[in-house]
mmCIF file of all heavy atoms in Angstrom:
data_model
loop_
_atom_site.group_PDB
_atom_site.id
_atom_site.type_symbol
_atom_site.label_atom_id
_atom_site.label_comp_id
_atom_site.label_asym_id
_atom_site.label_seq_id
_atom_site.Cartn_x
_atom_site.Cartn_y
_atom_site.Cartn_z
ATOM 1 N N HIS G 1 108.083 0.178 -35.591
ATOM 2 C CA HIS G 1 107.901 0.031 -37.031
ATOM 3 C C HIS G 1 108.254 -1.373 -37.491
ATOM 4 O O HIS G 1 107.490 -2.028 -38.206
ATOM 5 C CB HIS G 1 108.763 1.056 -37.783
ATOM 6 C CG HIS G 1 108.784 0.820 -39.248
ATOM 7 N ND1 HIS G 1 109.749 0.047 -39.852
ATOM 8 C CD2 HIS G 1 107.941 1.211 -40.218
ATOM 9 C CE1 HIS G 1 109.492 -0.016 -41.153
ATOM 10 N NE2 HIS G 1 108.407 0.683 -41.392
ATOM 11 N N GLY G 2 109.411 -1.865 -37.098
ATOM 12 C CA GLY G 2 109.856 -3.185 -37.536
ATOM 13 C C GLY G 2 108.909 -4.290 -37.111
ATOM 14 O O GLY G 2 108.654 -5.233 -37.859
ATOM 15 N N ALA G 3 108.368 -4.192 -35.898
ATOM 16 C CA ALA G 3 107.454 -5.219 -35.410
ATOM 17 C C ALA G 3 106.165 -5.231 -36.225
ATOM 18 O O ALA G 3 105.676 -6.297 -36.634
ATOM 19 C CB ALA G 3 107.137 -4.968 -33.935
ATOM 20 N N ILE G 4 105.628 -4.074 -36.494
ATOM 21 C CA ILE G 4 104.372 -3.990 -37.249
ATOM 22 C C ILE G 4 104.554 -4.497 -38.671
ATOM 23 O O ILE G 4 103.762 -5.297 -39.170
ATOM 24 C CB ILE G 4 103.835 -2.541 -37.220
ATOM 25 C CG1 ILE G 4 103.407 -2.182 -35.792
ATOM 26 C CG2 ILE G 4 102.676 -2.371 -38.198
ATOM 27 C CD1 ILE G 4 103.136 -0.712 -35.580
ATOM 28 N N VAL G 5 105.622 -4.056 -39.336
ATOM 29 C CA VAL G 5 105.844 -4.479 -40.723
ATOM 30 C C VAL G 5 106.145 -5.975 -40.793
ATOM 31 O O VAL G 5 105.648 -6.671 -41.682
ATOM 32 C CB VAL G 5 106.972 -3.647 -41.372
ATOM 33 C CG1 VAL G 5 107.328 -4.173 -42.737
ATOM 34 C CG2 VAL G 5 106.550 -2.185 -41.469
ATOM 35 N N ALA G 6 106.917 -6.490 -39.854
ATOM 36 C CA ALA G 6 107.212 -7.930 -39.842
ATOM 37 C C ALA G 6 105.926 -8.741 -39.699
ATOM 38 O O ALA G 6 105.741 -9.747 -40.392
ATOM 39 C CB ALA G 6 108.194 -8.262 -38.727
ATOM 40 N N ARG G 7 105.024 -8.314 -38.824
ATOM 41 C CA ARG G 7 103.750 -9.024 -38.680
ATOM 42 C C ARG G 7 102.930 -8.939 -39.955
ATOM 43 O O ARG G 7 102.346 -9.931 -40.398
ATOM 44 C CB ARG G 7 102.951 -8.471 -37.494
ATOM 45 C CG ARG G 7 103.501 -8.900 -36.154
ATOM 46 C CD ARG G 7 102.553 -8.591 -35.012
ATOM 47 N NE ARG G 7 102.306 -7.177 -34.825
ATOM 48 C CZ ARG G 7 103.025 -6.373 -34.046
ATOM 49 N NH1 ARG G 7 104.052 -6.868 -33.372
ATOM 50 N NH2 ARG G 7 102.719 -5.105 -33.918
ATOM 51 N N GLU G 8 102.893 -7.758 -40.582
ATOM 52 C CA GLU G 8 102.132 -7.600 -41.822
ATOM 53 C C GLU G 8 102.685 -8.481 -42.937
ATOM 54 O O GLU G 8 101.933 -9.026 -43.727
ATOM 55 C CB GLU G 8 102.147 -6.135 -42.266
ATOM 56 C CG GLU G 8 101.296 -5.229 -41.407
ATOM 57 C CD GLU G 8 101.405 -3.769 -41.808
ATOM 58 O OE1 GLU G 8 102.262 -3.423 -42.663
ATOM 59 O OE2 GLU G 8 100.641 -2.962 -41.261
ATOM 60 N N PHE G 9 104.010 -8.622 -42.999
ATOM 61 C CA PHE G 9 104.645 -9.412 -44.062
ATOM 62 C C PHE G 9 104.815 -10.879 -43.688
ATOM 63 O O PHE G 9 105.260 -11.670 -44.499
ATOM 64 C CB PHE G 9 106.010 -8.823 -44.414
ATOM 65 C CG PHE G 9 105.957 -7.514 -45.149
ATOM 66 C CD1 PHE G 9 104.770 -6.888 -45.483
ATOM 67 C CD2 PHE G 9 107.126 -6.904 -45.539
ATOM 68 C CE1 PHE G 9 104.740 -5.679 -46.164
ATOM 69 C CE2 PHE G 9 107.120 -5.699 -46.226
ATOM 70 C CZ PHE G 9 105.914 -5.094 -46.537
ATOM 71 N N GLY G 10 104.493 -11.255 -42.442
ATOM 72 C CA GLY G 10 104.634 -12.638 -42.014
ATOM 73 C C GLY G 10 106.078 -13.084 -41.838
ATOM 74 O O GLY G 10 106.417 -14.228 -42.103
ATOM 75 N N ILE G 11 106.931 -12.176 -41.390
ATOM 76 C CA ILE G 11 108.361 -12.462 -41.218
ATOM 77 C C ILE G 11 108.652 -12.625 -39.731
ATOM 78 O O ILE G 11 108.262 -11.781 -38.925
ATOM 79 C CB ILE G 11 109.218 -11.300 -41.777
ATOM 80 C CG1 ILE G 11 108.904 -11.067 -43.240
ATOM 81 C CG2 ILE G 11 110.689 -11.560 -41.568
ATOM 82 C CD1 ILE G 11 109.485 -9.779 -43.761
ATOM 83 N N PRO G 12 109.359 -13.684 -39.331
ATOM 84 C CA PRO G 12 109.745 -13.813 -37.921
ATOM 85 C C PRO G 12 110.570 -12.597 -37.494
ATOM 86 O O PRO G 12 111.444 -12.141 -38.236
ATOM 87 C CB PRO G 12 110.599 -15.081 -37.888
ATOM 88 C CG PRO G 12 110.263 -15.824 -39.132
ATOM 89 C CD PRO G 12 109.856 -14.800 -40.137
ATOM 90 N N ALA G 13 110.288 -12.074 -36.300
ATOM 91 C CA ALA G 13 111.035 -10.910 -35.823
ATOM 92 C C ALA G 13 111.182 -10.943 -34.314
ATOM 93 O O ALA G 13 110.247 -11.283 -33.594
ATOM 94 C CB ALA G 13 110.332 -9.614 -36.245
ATOM 95 N N VAL G 14 112.390 -10.572 -33.872
ATOM 96 C CA VAL G 14 112.702 -10.437 -32.461
ATOM 97 C C VAL G 14 113.338 -9.060 -32.297
ATOM 98 O O VAL G 14 114.270 -8.710 -33.028
ATOM 99 C CB VAL G 14 113.662 -11.549 -31.977
ATOM 100 C CG1 VAL G 14 113.988 -11.375 -30.500
ATOM 101 C CG2 VAL G 14 113.078 -12.923 -32.245
ATOM 102 N N VAL G 15 112.841 -8.283 -31.344
ATOM 103 C CA VAL G 15 113.353 -6.929 -31.126
ATOM 104 C C VAL G 15 113.888 -6.819 -29.693
ATOM 105 O O VAL G 15 113.706 -7.727 -28.888
ATOM 106 C CB VAL G 15 112.271 -5.862 -31.374
ATOM 107 C CG1 VAL G 15 111.736 -5.957 -32.794
ATOM 108 C CG2 VAL G 15 111.127 -5.974 -30.385
ATOM 109 N N ASN G 16 114.530 -5.701 -29.420
ATOM 110 C CA ASN G 16 115.103 -5.428 -28.104
ATOM 111 C C ASN G 16 116.127 -6.503 -27.724
ATOM 112 O O ASN G 16 116.170 -6.967 -26.586
ATOM 113 C CB ASN G 16 114.008 -5.301 -27.040
ATOM 114 C CG ASN G 16 114.508 -4.562 -25.813
ATOM 115 O OD1 ASN G 16 115.417 -3.748 -25.900
ATOM 116 N ND2 ASN G 16 113.916 -4.850 -24.676
ATOM 117 N N VAL G 17 116.962 -6.863 -28.704
ATOM 118 C CA VAL G 17 118.035 -7.836 -28.471
ATOM 119 C C VAL G 17 119.291 -7.012 -28.183
ATOM 120 O O VAL G 17 120.070 -6.695 -29.081
ATOM 121 C CB VAL G 17 118.225 -8.767 -29.686
ATOM 122 C CG1 VAL G 17 119.276 -9.829 -29.377
ATOM 123 C CG2 VAL G 17 116.903 -9.407 -30.086
ATOM 124 N N GLN G 18 119.447 -6.637 -26.928
ATOM 125 C CA GLN G 18 120.511 -5.726 -26.522
ATOM 126 C C GLN G 18 121.893 -6.292 -26.802
ATOM 127 O O GLN G 18 122.194 -7.425 -26.459
ATOM 128 C CB GLN G 18 120.376 -5.412 -25.032
ATOM 129 C CG GLN G 18 119.100 -4.683 -24.682
ATOM 130 C CD GLN G 18 119.059 -3.293 -25.235
ATOM 131 O OE1 GLN G 18 120.010 -2.533 -25.077
ATOM 132 N NE2 GLN G 18 117.981 -2.944 -25.902
ATOM 133 N N GLY G 19 122.736 -5.494 -27.457
ATOM 134 C CA GLY G 19 124.127 -5.838 -27.692
ATOM 135 C C GLY G 19 124.398 -6.712 -28.909
ATOM 136 O O GLY G 19 125.544 -7.013 -29.207
ATOM 137 N N ILE G 20 123.372 -7.119 -29.646
ATOM 138 C CA ILE G 20 123.596 -8.065 -30.742
ATOM 139 C C ILE G 20 124.423 -7.472 -31.877
ATOM 140 O O ILE G 20 125.173 -8.181 -32.535
ATOM 141 C CB ILE G 20 122.277 -8.663 -31.263
ATOM 142 C CG1 ILE G 20 122.583 -9.900 -32.108
ATOM 143 C CG2 ILE G 20 121.451 -7.628 -32.022
ATOM 144 C CD1 ILE G 20 121.480 -10.892 -32.212
ATOM 145 N N LEU G 21 124.335 -6.178 -32.104
ATOM 146 C CA LEU G 21 125.103 -5.568 -33.195
ATOM 147 C C LEU G 21 126.613 -5.666 -32.956
ATOM 148 O O LEU G 21 127.384 -5.715 -33.900
ATOM 149 C CB LEU G 21 124.709 -4.106 -33.396
ATOM 150 C CG LEU G 21 123.340 -3.892 -34.022
ATOM 151 C CD1 LEU G 21 122.961 -2.425 -33.970
ATOM 152 C CD2 LEU G 21 123.310 -4.404 -35.439
ATOM 153 N N ARG G 22 127.030 -5.707 -31.702
ATOM 154 C CA ARG G 22 128.458 -5.826 -31.382
ATOM 155 C C ARG G 22 128.931 -7.275 -31.417
ATOM 156 O O ARG G 22 130.126 -7.537 -31.436
ATOM 157 C CB ARG G 22 128.743 -5.228 -30.002
ATOM 158 C CG ARG G 22 128.578 -3.729 -29.930
ATOM 159 C CD ARG G 22 129.031 -3.179 -28.593
ATOM 160 N NE ARG G 22 128.435 -3.836 -27.436
ATOM 161 C CZ ARG G 22 127.285 -3.492 -26.874
ATOM 162 N NH1 ARG G 22 126.591 -2.493 -27.367
ATOM 163 N NH2 ARG G 22 126.827 -4.139 -25.817
ATOM 164 N N GLN G 23 128.000 -8.216 -31.413
ATOM 165 C CA GLN G 23 128.379 -9.606 -31.257
ATOM 166 C C GLN G 23 128.129 -10.480 -32.478
ATOM 167 O O GLN G 23 128.541 -11.637 -32.491
ATOM 168 C CB GLN G 23 127.619 -10.184 -30.054
ATOM 169 C CG GLN G 23 127.955 -9.441 -28.776
ATOM 170 C CD GLN G 23 126.989 -9.770 -27.653
ATOM 171 O OE1 GLN G 23 126.385 -10.810 -27.635
ATOM 172 N NE2 GLN G 23 126.840 -8.846 -26.726
ATOM 173 N N VAL G 24 127.456 -9.954 -33.473
ATOM 174 C CA VAL G 24 127.160 -10.719 -34.688
ATOM 175 C C VAL G 24 127.752 -9.980 -35.874
ATOM 176 O O VAL G 24 127.677 -8.752 -35.947
ATOM 177 C CB VAL G 24 125.634 -10.898 -34.867
ATOM 178 C CG1 VAL G 24 125.300 -11.466 -36.221
ATOM 179 C CG2 VAL G 24 125.078 -11.792 -33.777
ATOM 180 N N ALA G 25 128.319 -10.712 -36.810
ATOM 181 C CA ALA G 25 128.864 -10.134 -38.044
ATOM 182 C C ALA G 25 128.100 -10.687 -39.228
ATOM 183 O O ALA G 25 127.546 -11.798 -39.170
ATOM 184 C CB ALA G 25 130.346 -10.496 -38.168
ATOM 185 N N SER G 26 128.072 -9.920 -40.303
ATOM 186 C CA SER G 26 127.467 -10.424 -41.535
ATOM 187 C C SER G 26 128.140 -11.730 -41.904
ATOM 188 O O SER G 26 129.359 -11.849 -41.862
ATOM 189 C CB SER G 26 127.629 -9.416 -42.676
ATOM 190 O OG SER G 26 126.809 -8.289 -42.447
ATOM 191 N N GLY G 27 127.324 -12.718 -42.226
ATOM 192 C CA GLY G 27 127.855 -14.028 -42.578
ATOM 193 C C GLY G 27 127.721 -15.058 -41.477
ATOM 194 O O GLY G 27 127.741 -16.254 -41.748
ATOM 195 N N ASP G 28 127.587 -14.622 -40.214
ATOM 196 C CA ASP G 28 127.337 -15.585 -39.137
ATOM 197 C C ASP G 28 126.003 -16.273 -39.430
ATOM 198 O O ASP G 28 125.045 -15.633 -39.841
ATOM 199 C CB ASP G 28 127.240 -14.889 -37.775
ATOM 200 C CG ASP G 28 128.567 -14.391 -37.259
ATOM 201 O OD1 ASP G 28 129.603 -14.716 -37.862
ATOM 202 O OD2 ASP G 28 128.560 -13.677 -36.244
ATOM 203 N N TRP G 29 125.931 -17.560 -39.225
ATOM 204 C CA TRP G 29 124.699 -18.302 -39.477
ATOM 205 C C TRP G 29 123.835 -18.212 -38.219
ATOM 206 O O TRP G 29 124.273 -18.544 -37.127
ATOM 207 C CB TRP G 29 125.000 -19.755 -39.820
ATOM 208 C CG TRP G 29 123.893 -20.379 -40.570
ATOM 209 C CD1 TRP G 29 122.894 -21.143 -40.061
ATOM 210 C CD2 TRP G 29 123.644 -20.300 -41.968
ATOM 211 N NE1 TRP G 29 122.043 -21.534 -41.061
ATOM 212 C CE2 TRP G 29 122.475 -21.039 -42.246
ATOM 213 C CE3 TRP G 29 124.291 -19.670 -43.030
ATOM 214 C CZ2 TRP G 29 121.949 -21.171 -43.523
ATOM 215 C CZ3 TRP G 29 123.771 -19.796 -44.299
ATOM 216 C CH2 TRP G 29 122.611 -20.536 -44.540
ATOM 217 N N LEU G 30 122.603 -17.721 -38.382
ATOM 218 C CA LEU G 30 121.713 -17.512 -37.243
ATOM 219 C C LEU G 30 120.434 -18.315 -37.380
ATOM 220 O O LEU G 30 119.955 -18.556 -38.493
ATOM 221 C CB LEU G 30 121.335 -16.033 -37.106
ATOM 222 C CG LEU G 30 122.454 -15.030 -36.876
ATOM 223 C CD1 LEU G 30 121.879 -13.621 -36.809
ATOM 224 C CD2 LEU G 30 123.240 -15.353 -35.623
ATOM 225 N N GLU G 31 119.884 -18.667 -36.229
ATOM 226 C CA GLU G 31 118.540 -19.238 -36.156
ATOM 227 C C GLU G 31 117.710 -18.280 -35.318
ATOM 228 O O GLU G 31 118.075 -17.942 -34.197
ATOM 229 C CB GLU G 31 118.559 -20.610 -35.501
ATOM 230 C CG GLU G 31 117.159 -21.178 -35.311
ATOM 231 C CD GLU G 31 117.162 -22.454 -34.505
ATOM 232 O OE1 GLU G 31 117.580 -22.410 -33.329
ATOM 233 O OE2 GLU G 31 116.761 -23.482 -35.073
#
């Protein structure tokens, strides 16, 4: 779902990023 909607809206998206929820906190600056 996220991949399809991101493409439709023209938003950069990366999926299957294993473990990122445990390693990133709200407020961390990401690229």
Side-chain angles (χ1 to χ4, degrees):
H1 171 268
I4 292 168
V5 173
R7 285 192 297 270
E8 288 176 352
F9 289 0
I11 302 168
V14 179
V15 302
N16 200 27
V17 184
Q18 296 292 311
I20 196 156
L21 288 171
R22 292 187 308 272
Q23 300 167 25
V24 170
S26 290
D28 288 351
W29 202 264
L30 299 178
E31 175 187 62

